[in-house]
Amino acid sequence: AQSVAQPEDQVNVAEGNPLTVKCTYSVSGNPYLFWYVQYPNRGLQFLLKYITGDNLVKGSYGFEAEFNKSQTSFHLKKPSALVSDSALYFCAVRAYSGTYKYIFGTGTRLKVLA
Amino acid sequence: DAGVIQSPRHEVTEMGQEVTLRCKPISGHNSLFWYRQTMMRGLELLIYFNNNVPIDDSGMPEDRFSAKMPNASFSTLKIQPSEPRDSAVYFCASSLGGGRGDTQYFGPGTRLTVL
């Protein structure tokens, strides 16, 4: 079955420190992977995606993600966290399951502490 | 572009009433998605359309839910009759629809409370 896992419900990091939000996936075929961010009372906003090519993908607001095929992971990273990065982060994969669906993870709440 | 537009932003209704949520996708986008978000179940895909045709409605919870897309610029999600367990935030999203790598763009959501 096609799936996405975000193993951490919450990640706490101090402002200025590097952050990592983890995502692993299970799909047949080549994965198309996405990260979205959701701020309180807002819709999801696109951050970045991996389609093909370079395993390190750069996105909005200084975020990047590394695609690792052998570990089936697509972790979101940022070298220096800001308090304003505090939000809910979703990993998603577009995979075929009868039709091409977007499958979202359960979300990871990031708290950046001043 | 104004992005995906949803209305109303908030809806409070009583059990048994009909509720209609509306969505205007980004102009030129061919795919439209309806999602429901709750604390218990996270983000669930309810239905998605491509070129105004429903492609996958396997996520629609039951017959009380129905969705239509009469044209490329408008979609509705209707709940009749509504129940308290339908309380959630409902998101509409659209994408170009041209390939697997399409990015979805989400609206601000409609927060539905059924009393």
Side-chain angles (χ1 to χ4, degrees):
Chain A
Q2 326 277 17
S3 65
V4 171
Q6 293 183 244
E8 301 154 318
D9 289 336
Q10 182 161 318
V11 170
N12 295 329
V13 63
E15 187 175 31
N17 282 3
L19 70 87
T20 299
V21 183
K22 295 180 181 177
C23 172
T24 58
Y25 64 90
S26 174
V27 301
S28 53
N30 294 322
Y32 287 58
L33 296 155
F34 303 78
W35 275 103
Y36 287 83
V37 59
Q38 184 179 28
Y39 297 101
N41 301 313
R42 302 283 295 274
L44 279 69
Q45 295 178 33
F46 170 72
L47 276 179
L48 51 81
K49 66 182 176 183
Y50 172 83
I51 305 299
T52 186
D54 196 347
N55 290 343
L56 186 64
V57 180
K58 294 188 182 296
S60 307
Y61 313 122
F63 283 93
E64 57 190 28
E66 186 168 12
F67 170 65
N68 187 318
K69 189 172 183 177
S70 62
Q71 297 186 5
T72 62
S73 66
F74 189 56
H75 301 332
L76 181 70
K77 300 182 179 186
K78 187 174 183 182
S80 178
L82 300 172
V83 172
S84 57
D85 293 329
S86 299
L88 188 57
Y89 289 81
F90 290 94
C91 181
V93 63
R94 193 160 195 208
Y96 187 78
S97 180
T99 58
Y100 277 109
K101 295 184 181 182
Y102 293 88
I103 301 169
F104 282 83
T106 51
T108 297
R109 188 163 300 281
L110 173 67
K111 281 195 173 182
V112 181
L113 308 169
Chain B
D1 199 314
V4 176
I5 299 172
Q6 291 186 248
S7 64
R9 293 294 310 276
H10 301 273
E11 177 81 34
V12 180
T13 191
E14 292 191 347
M15 183 174 64
Q17 296 298 305
E18 177 179 295
V19 174
T20 299
L21 311 182
R22 297 173 176 79
C23 175
K24 177 179 168 56
I26 293 172
S27 176
H29 282 191
N30 294 325
S31 293
L32 183 140
F33 307 79
W34 283 101
Y35 289 90
R36 177 172 68 176
Q37 185 179 37
T38 61
M39 290 291 293
M40 291 298 294
R41 300 173 69 91
L43 194 64
E44 303 173 275
L45 176 66
L46 300 177
I47 186 170
Y48 102 81
F49 295 85
N50 194 48
N51 292 322
N52 312 338
V53 176
I55 301 300
D56 187 340
D57 65 354
S58 59
M60 295 286 264
E62 48 200 272
D63 291 345
R64 297 185 298 106
F65 285 69
S66 62
K68 293 182 180 179
M69 192 164 185
N71 57 62
S73 58
F74 184 65
S75 177
T76 59
L77 178 67
K78 185 177 292 186
I79 308 172
Q80 167 63 16
S82 57
E83 296 183 4
R85 61 191 167 123
D86 301 331
S87 298
V89 181
Y90 291 81
F91 288 105
C92 175
S94 69
S95 73
L96 280 172
R100 288 179 62 198
D102 275 355
T103 298
Q104 288 185 96
Y105 294 89
F106 283 75
T110 295
R111 183 174 296 275
L112 173 65
T113 303
V114 183
L115 303 173

